[in-house]
């Protein structure tokens, strides 16, 4: 069976296996009951299951059904006992007529084995596929029964996952029948507005596009934007206003590491989802916080990817590490060290340098004579220093390959001819302008903000990605979104792909979001993609 599923699902099999394995570990570690939950009326229900897997989640807890869901004639079937106990319904069975009767909240549903006729409170319906018996278990159509009981169903086709939700019995901040209110912060004025404005425009353009199509489940999304000038002293009061006065449902997209760090614990304590922080600090993801969901690859992830690429793609094993002596540099260096442990090779040279360093001759001379084949140069927040080091390496005649973080996408402008042949990571792939997702981004961004400078697209993409991920989570949360439902929905992302957001993954104890990068090299003063996605997620 495992081989058959793997053949049918391909990469999805191993990815879904990881997802449900992680759910099992969490369930066991936290003492959750492994099995069918006891019958209980589920008025605040968020249920997630996947075709082909017995494990499922109910309100963030993990259980197992008797027979895995399967698709018959484009309809998902599940064991009737699962319906009875997970949905809190009463189920009756008449062996003489092979009729199943399901009762819940005054509703009565009747189905018959082998027949496509069914009734709900006496009204006749025709099913697309008939109930049947498998492994001595009666299998029934989950969507038909869910919707008959007033529940909302969403099917996610990429991973064949089904989401079922019930209307909560309490008011949800920021949610009305027609609107979902979210907050976002960016630099809309001051010296950093040059990146803050396109970031906001990217986010708002996608939201506008979604709203113009009717929103999500009939609700339009309203964005309240705060201009914090990327100054934490302004970020903190703005975000508190979001929560305490504006009553936003979630905060989606915050630009700038200091500001995001300053508010993430507050949002987590208040139980407000915070999706996408515009920075690479590992603290956004480690240790994981229930309501905080990072997206950009963090410095630890990138450092590990450096090593995996050097080992597997460049076929090298001796490395030199040169990193700036700040938080970002230290985290990247730690990632490199973790990468060496995971993927092999050895660090034959390692040194930090102060942010004020202007002369890299002594460092690079030692590297030149160290036997290193590759130089990992990690100073993501100080690209001028990195560019200076690249130019110095060229002038000293170093032949080692140099790998830089994704913040160095403009290395050719900074280092000129010395940049030829260096390697740089990327986490949003725009290498193929004919890619349908890339074209869709430019179409949407250009429609709503036609006067934006095309050269700022990389910042607009970041905001666009934040909106894509939140909207997909909102779809999965269904007709009745709650803040916890958004958390549970995000935890089911397992290599999810949007238009430009690619390979996004979370889990019950995972908040990093993006574990993969691709690599480019400078060739004839142009960045050329040379690898597929390289993931460090185990």
């Amino acid at each position: 069976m495992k081989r058959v599923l793997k053949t049918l699902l391909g990469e999805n099999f191993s990815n879904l296996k990881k997802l449900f394995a992680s759910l099992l570990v969490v369930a066991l570690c936290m003492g959750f009951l492994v099995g069918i939950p006891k019958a209980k009326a589920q008025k605040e229900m968020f249920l997630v299951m996947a075709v082909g897997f017995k494990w499922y989640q109910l309100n963030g807890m993990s259980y197992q059904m008797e027979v895995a869901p399967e698709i018959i004639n484009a309809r998902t079937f599940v064991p009737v006992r699962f319906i009875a106990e997970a949905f809190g319904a009463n189920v009756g069975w008449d062996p003489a007529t092979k009729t199943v009767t399901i009762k819940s909240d005054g509703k009565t549903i009747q189905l018959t084995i082998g027949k496509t006729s069914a009734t709900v409170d006496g009204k006749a319906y025709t099913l697309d596929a008939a109930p049947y018996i498998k492994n001595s278990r009666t299998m029934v159509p989950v969507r038909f029964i869910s919707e008959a009981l007033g529940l909302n169903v969403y099917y996610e086709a990429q991973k064949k996952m089904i989401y079922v939700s019930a209307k909560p019995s309490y008011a949800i901040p920021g949610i009305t029948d027609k609107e979902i209110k979210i907050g976002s912060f960016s630099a809309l004025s001051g010296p950093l507005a040059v990146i803050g404005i396109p970031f906001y425009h990217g986010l708002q353009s996608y939201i506008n596009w979604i709203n113009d199509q009717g929103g999500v489940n009939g609700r339009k999304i309203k964005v309240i934007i705060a201009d914090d000038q990327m100054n934490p002293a302004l970020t903190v009061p703005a975000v508190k206003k979001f929560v305490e006065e504006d009553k936003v449902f979630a905060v989606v997209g915050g630009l700038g590491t200091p500001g995001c760090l300053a508010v993430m614990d507050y949002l987590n304590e208040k139980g407000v989802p915070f999706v996408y922080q515009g920075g690479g600090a590992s603290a956004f993801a480690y240790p994981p916080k229930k309501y905080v969901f990072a997206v950009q690859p963090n410095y630890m992830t990138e450092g590990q990817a450096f090593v995996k690429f050097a080992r597997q793609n460049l076929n090298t094993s001796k490395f030199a590490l040169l990193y700036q002596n700040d938080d970002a540099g230290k985290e990247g260096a730690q990632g490199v060290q973790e990468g060496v442990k995971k993927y092999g090779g050895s660090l034959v040279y390692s040194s930090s340098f102060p942010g004020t360093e202007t002369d890299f001759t002594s460092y690079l001379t030692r590297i030149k004579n160290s036997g290193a084949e590759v130089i990992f140069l990690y100073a993501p927040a100080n690209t001028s220093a990195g560019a200076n080091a690249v130019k110095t390496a060229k002038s000293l005649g170093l032949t080692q390959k140099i790998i830089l973080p994704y913040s160095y996408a403009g290395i050719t402008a900074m280092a000129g001819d010395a940049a030829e042949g260096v390697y740089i990571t990327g986490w949003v792939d725009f290498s193929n302008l004919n890619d349908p997702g890339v074209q869709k981004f430019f179409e949407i961004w250009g429609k709503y903000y036609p006067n934006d400078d095309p050269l700022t697209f990389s910042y607009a993409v970041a905001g666009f990605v934040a909106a894509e991920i939140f909207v997909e989570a909102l779809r999965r949360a269904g007709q009745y979104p709650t803040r916890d439902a958004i958390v549970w929905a995000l935890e089911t992302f397992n290599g999810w792909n949007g238009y430009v957001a690619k390979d996004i993954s979370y889990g019950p104890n995972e908040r990093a979001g993006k574990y993969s990068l691709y690599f480019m090299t400078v060739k004839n003063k142009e960045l050329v993609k040379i690898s597929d996605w390289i993931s460090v997620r185990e």
Side-chain angles (χ1 to χ4, degrees), residues 285 288-290 292-294 487 491 506-513 515:
K289 290 160 279 292
K290 180 176 180 179
V292 179
F293 290 82
V487 169
E491 287 179 345
Y506 299 108
N509 205 35
E510 292 184 77
R511 292 295 185 268
Y515 296 85

Side-chain angles (χ1 to χ4, degrees), residues 346-509:
S346 61
L347 277 174
V348 298
Y349 176 88
S350 179
S351 177
S352 64
F353 61 86
T356 56
E357 185 63 80
T358 58
D359 185 359
F360 289 89
T361 303
S362 61
Y363 303 99
L364 292 166
T365 299
R366 286 192 287 271
I367 289 174
K368 184 177 183 180
N369 299 319
S370 69
E373 300 166 283
V374 176
I375 302 171
F376 301 137
L377 182 52
Y378 211 83
N382 189 358
T383 54
S384 61
N388 189 9
V390 168
K391 289 188 285 186
T392 303
K394 182 74 171 181
S395 68
L396 293 174
L398 270 72
T399 58
Q400 286 92 344
K401 298 174 175 64
I402 298 175
I403 299 180
L404 301 167
Y406 61 78
S407 55
Y408 284 76
I411 187 62
T412 55
M414 294 183 286
D417 292 341
E420 193 74 11
V422 303
Y423 298 91
I424 298 170
T425 61
W427 72 276
V428 179
D429 187 2
F430 273 61
S431 61
N432 178 11
L433 294 179
N434 293 319
D435 178 86
V438 172
Q439 291 182 335
K440 196 67 176 179
F441 161 75
F442 282 114
E443 174 193 327
I444 293 171
W445 182 40
K447 176 180 179 180
Y448 296 102
Y449 296 97
N451 296 324
D452 277 9
D453 184 350
L455 295 178
T456 65
F457 82 91
S458 61
Y459 304 110
V461 167
F464 192 95
V465 166
E468 273 197 292
I469 291 171
F470 174 72
V471 167
E472 176 61 23
L474 203 56
R475 290 192 182 107
R476 297 185 186 198
Q479 184 66 40
Y480 312 115
T482 67
R483 286 168 167 172
D484 279 350
I486 286 293
V487 169
W488 298 328
L490 284 163
E491 287 179 345
T492 66
F493 279 44
N494 193 39
W496 177 76
N497 295 319
Y499 286 120
V500 290
K502 301 294 181 183
D503 197 23
I504 306 298
S505 298
Y506 299 108
N509 205 35

Side-chain angles (χ1 to χ4, degrees), residues 131-145:
Y132 58 96
I133 294 176
K134 179 177 181 178
N135 297 337
S136 302
R137 295 292 180 262
T138 301
M139 303 292 285
V140 293
V142 68
R143 179 181 286 274
F144 175 79
I145 293 170

Side-chain angles (χ1 to χ4, degrees), residues 297-366:
N298 60 62
Y299 306 132
M300 285 277 292
T301 293
E302 191 168 37
Q304 292 180 61
F306 276 17
V307 178
K308 189 172 183 179
F309 172 75
R311 292 285 292 136
Q312 298 184 2
N313 294 67
L314 300 182
N315 195 29
T316 55
S317 60
K318 295 180 180 180
F319 314 125
L321 172 62
L322 187 58
Y323 62 97
Q324 183 165 316
N325 189 23
D326 62 3
D327 289 343
K330 290 175 183 176
E331 287 184 15
Q334 187 178 348
V336 167
Q337 292 160 3
E338 288 296 317
V340 169
K341 291 178 184 177
K342 288 170 66 173
Y343 306 115
S346 61
L347 277 174
V348 298
Y349 176 88
S350 179
S351 177
S352 64
F353 61 86
T356 56
E357 185 63 80
T358 58
D359 185 359
F360 289 89
T361 303
S362 61
Y363 303 99
L364 292 166
T365 299
R366 286 192 287 271

Side-chain angles (χ1 to χ4, degrees), residues 52-66:
F53 289 83
K54 294 181 180 180
W55 286 100
Y56 67 95
Q57 269 191 306
L58 178 60
N59 290 353
M61 298 174 67
S62 298
Y63 302 96
Q64 185 177 17
M65 64 182 80
E66 300 161 307

